[in-house]
Amino acid sequence: MAKKKFEEAVAQLEAIVEDLESGDLPLDKAMKRFEEGVKLSKTCSDTLDEAETRVRILTGETAEGLQDAPFTETDQRGAE
């Protein structure tokens, strides 16, 4: 399966939930939709995990929490 955009996957997952909640699908179609939903849920979860990892890398967060960084005059000038 080609990697879907997160927003597309969430929208499809929402549609599947609506279909399943309606109760109008025959069992075999409901099972197929459920399987699709599980795959989309995994795709969304993986995407969120990747994003969390990237944020942790960018912010310097470790398992112990955020690391302190010394504040320099250069940092202060850049904020002005």
Side-chain angles (χ1 to χ4, degrees), residues 11-68:
Q12 288 179 331
L13 188 54
E14 289 172 348
I16 289 171
V17 169
E18 288 177 17
D19 287 348
L20 293 173
E21 286 180 340
S22 75
D24 295 333
L25 295 175
L27 182 59
D28 62 330
K29 285 190 177 192
M31 288 302 299
K32 285 181 183 178
R33 292 295 278 165
F34 180 77
E35 289 174 16
E36 291 173 33
V38 169
K39 289 177 185 176
L40 285 169
S41 176
K42 173 89 171 93
T43 298
C44 291
S45 180
D46 290 347
T47 301
L48 289 173
D49 288 344
E50 289 173 16
E52 180 181 13
T53 299
R54 290 176 60 198
V55 168
R56 288 181 185 274
I57 290 169
L58 292 170
T59 61
E61 186 174 348
T62 66
E64 294 80 32
L66 290 176
Q67 295 179 350
D68 290 331

